[in-house]
Amino acid sequence: MGFALASDQMYLRDTVRTSVKLLIVGHFAVGKTTLVGALSEIRPLRTEELMTQAGESVDDLAGVPAKTTTTVAMDFGRLTLSDDMVLYLFGAPGQERFTPLWHDLARGALGALVLADTRRIEESFDVMTLLEERGLRYAVAINQFDDAPVFPEEELREALDLLPTTPLITCDARDRGSATRALIALVEYLIDSHDQEHA
């Protein structure tokens, strides 16, 4: 599979010394592929396939009737932060049947950005449980779908049972600036947590 560029840089700079692996996770049809595509400086690797009748019994399209494809392995993107640091973004499929693959993708990850949808907030619980079982820190980004209800942050924190230190932000996964702010919130949280542990 070939890569085309979103920018004029296909290869890593020879000054890069540090690479960081981050997961982009969330339930089915929450916008993970879209967010990786918005952030990546290279054309993202996508493993999307058309949805078929065979998947109707396992892929709940409630709230997302226009969805026609689904990720069957992963999304992959890259974002250079500085002359010496690069982020590798791995989007994991959201369906439960892909949990074994999800565990493989999580190996070596520093943390995760959990995308959530207020129309199906309860579907985020399994994803957060998987992260907690692996000891991975995460931030939660509420993807702002056009027809989704809006709730105060306190209500969302309570509904998601988040620790006070866990970042909770809103974003539009289609918008590069908004997606970048969500990613920055995660990275700052990971840096702060690391600094506190090693203080």
Side-chain angles (χ1 to χ4, degrees):
M1 179 173 283
F3 285 92
L5 291 180
S7 68
D8 59 0
Q9 180 187 10
M10 184 164 106
Y11 300 104
L12 279 180
R13 301 172 191 167
D14 57 10
T15 57
V16 170
R17 298 292 178 261
T18 304
S19 61
V20 177
K21 180 181 183 180
L22 297 176
L23 299 181
I24 309 298
V25 298
H27 56 75
F28 173 67
V30 75
K32 301 176 296 293
T33 297
T34 301
L35 186 127
V36 171
L39 288 169
S40 184
E41 67 194 12
I42 59 172
R43 181 177 173 184
L45 169 66
R46 292 183 173 146
T47 58
E48 292 222 311
E49 294 293 337
L50 287 173
M51 298 182 70
T52 64
Q53 279 187 314
E56 288 179 0
S57 62
V58 290
D59 294 331
D60 183 4
L61 292 175
V64 287
K67 187 164 178 64
T68 59
T69 62
T70 186
T71 300
V72 296
M74 68 172 183
D75 300 306
F76 172 78
R78 187 187 80 200
L79 183 60
T80 302
L81 287 189
S82 65
D83 286 340
D84 64 350
M85 180 178 286
V86 65
L87 297 181
Y88 291 113
L89 308 173
F90 288 80
Q95 298 97 315
E96 184 178 349
R97 66 184 181 275
F98 294 118
T99 299
L101 173 62
W102 191 98
H103 284 293
D104 289 338
L105 289 175
R107 282 195 193 112
L110 191 61
L113 183 64
V114 178
L115 282 185
D117 178 353
T118 58
R119 298 168 300 180
R120 300 173 292 149
I121 203 79
E122 69 286 348
E123 293 184 30
S124 300
F125 299 151
D126 289 343
V127 173
M128 292 188 297
T129 297
L130 285 171
L131 291 170
E132 290 165 3
E133 286 173 351
R134 293 194 67 89
L136 278 175
R137 289 192 172 87
Y138 60 88
V140 177
I142 304 295
N143 193 8
Q144 296 176 305
F145 290 91
D146 295 336
D147 59 344
V150 177
F151 299 101
E153 180 177 339
E154 304 76 36
E155 287 185 31
L156 289 170
R157 281 191 166 279
E158 184 175 350
L160 291 165
D161 193 26
L162 296 180
L163 294 171
T165 54
T166 302
L168 175 65
I169 56 267
T170 58
C171 77
D172 181 340
R174 302 166 295 186
D175 180 76
R176 183 176 177 84
S178 183
T180 299
R181 286 188 290 276
L183 193 64
I184 288 170
L186 169 63
V187 171
E188 288 179 342
Y189 172 56
L190 295 175
I191 290 170
D192 289 347
S193 298
H194 179 271
D195 289 348
Q196 288 174 16
E197 282 182 358
H198 295 85

